[in-house]
């Protein structure tokens, strides 16, 4: 497992922005996570995009289960490594 980076998948931009803001406070992150739009294969419509929240964790201190549960609160999930 790669402890250097966690990727949370969210259904839309609003959810991703909310998660990114809350992550820093809840998990004590030193910097804001990165947001990335991930268009589904073959889809051009922005409504069919997932949003990724990329959390750098070089020390491997974040708990994957806690991140997955947090993402689930926003209808998302933690991407398996």
């Amino acid at each position: 497992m790669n402890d250097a980076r966690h990727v949370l998948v969210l259904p839309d931009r609003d959810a991703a922005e909310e998660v990114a803001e809350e992550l820093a406070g809840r998990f004590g992150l030193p910097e804001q996570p990165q947001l990335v739009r991930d268009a589904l294969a073959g889809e051009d419509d922005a409504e069919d995009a997932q949003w990724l929240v990329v959390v750098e964790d070089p020390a491997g201190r974040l708990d994957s289960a806690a991140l997955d549960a947090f993402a689930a609160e926003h209808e998302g999930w933690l991407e398996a490594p």
Side-chain angles (χ1 to χ4, degrees), residues 11-67:
D12 56 49
R13 183 181 186 142
D14 290 340
E17 288 175 345
E18 186 176 335
V19 164
E21 288 177 20
E22 289 182 29
L23 271 171
R26 187 181 282 196
F27 292 93
L29 301 179
E31 60 186 59
Q32 187 79 7
Q34 178 184 4
L35 296 178
V36 178
R37 181 180 178 272
D38 184 32
L40 301 175
E43 298 294 336
D44 294 326
D45 188 354
E47 294 297 318
D48 293 324
Q50 295 175 328
W51 283 80
L52 308 178
V53 177
V54 181
V55 181
E56 299 297 332
D57 184 23
R61 67 176 189 81
L62 297 175
D63 178 41
S64 295
L67 288 171

